[in-house]
Amino acid sequence: CDYPDLFTDESCLTNCFSKANIDGDLIENCMSDSGGLEANSPNALLDNEIEMQAKVSRPIGTQGALFINDVFDKGEISVNAVFTAVCNGRLRQTEPEICKECDDGCDGFNQCIAEKKCKN
C-alpha cells in the first residue's frame, strides 16, 4: 500500500489489517468515536486525556509520546512538531493540501494552520 494510488485503497488497507491480525472495525470505530477523519473536529479521546492530566496534581511521570505514520515520536509535542512529522511522513503527492500551504516558507505557521492558508 506504499504507492500513492494504493495508499487509500480500501481493499489494500483491509488486506494489511488481515495480515497483521488487526480488527479493522475496531480501528474505524475508535477513529469515528474520537472525532473522525472527515471534518475538522476535536479529537474527543485526546481532549479527554488532556483534561484528565490537568486534574492530576502530581503525575507519576509523563512524557509526550505518539505514533505518527507508524513512527514512534517522543519528547516535544507541539503543533509544529506534529505537523512536520505528519507531512514529512507521507508519500509524495499524498500529503494533505495544508502541508503544501503551510510549509517552512510560510511566515506565521500557527496562524497558517488555524486559517488553513499562508499569509505570504
Side-chain angles (χ1 to χ4, degrees), residues 3-4 9 27 81 90 93 95 116:
Y3 294 102
D9 183 76
I27 301 297
R90 301 294 297 262
Q93 304 301 320
E95 66 271 72
K116 299 181 183 149

Side-chain angles (χ1 to χ4, degrees), residues 101-113 115 117-120:
E101 183 66 36
C102 299
D103 64 7
D104 290 335
C106 182
D107 291 332
F109 176 79
N110 287 336
Q111 187 173 1
C112 182
I113 297 299
E115 296 177 7
K117 64 181 179 181
C118 186
K119 291 248 179 197
N120 291 0

Side-chain angles (χ1 to χ4, degrees), residues 47-108:
D47 289 346
N48 186 46
E49 287 296 320
I50 291 169
E51 182 180 325
M52 294 303 288
Q53 280 295 318
K55 291 179 182 179
V56 177
S57 60
R58 290 178 36 181
I60 294 173
T62 59
Q63 178 179 14
L66 64 151
F67 277 92
I68 300 174
N69 298 324
D70 295 327
V71 175
F72 182 71
D73 192 9
K74 64 181 181 176
E76 177 191 8
I77 298 180
S78 66
V79 171
N80 194 353
V82 172
F83 179 85
T84 301
V86 168
C87 293
N88 289 345
R90 301 294 297 262
L91 291 173
R92 203 164 196 210
Q93 304 301 320
T94 66
E95 66 271 72
E97 285 299 315
I98 198 165
C99 293
K100 299 172 193 167
E101 183 66 36
C102 299
D103 64 7
D104 290 335
C106 182
D107 291 332

Side-chain angles (χ1 to χ4, degrees), residues 20-65:
N21 199 23
I22 295 173
D23 182 352
D25 291 334
L26 184 66
I27 301 297
E28 289 295 323
N29 289 339
C30 179
M31 290 190 303
S32 176
D33 292 347
S34 65
L37 300 175
E38 301 304 318
N40 184 14
S41 60
N43 182 314
L45 291 175
L46 179 60
D47 289 346
N48 186 46
E49 287 296 320
I50 291 169
E51 182 180 325
M52 294 303 288
Q53 280 295 318
K55 291 179 182 179
V56 177
S57 60
R58 290 178 36 181
I60 294 173
T62 59
Q63 178 179 14

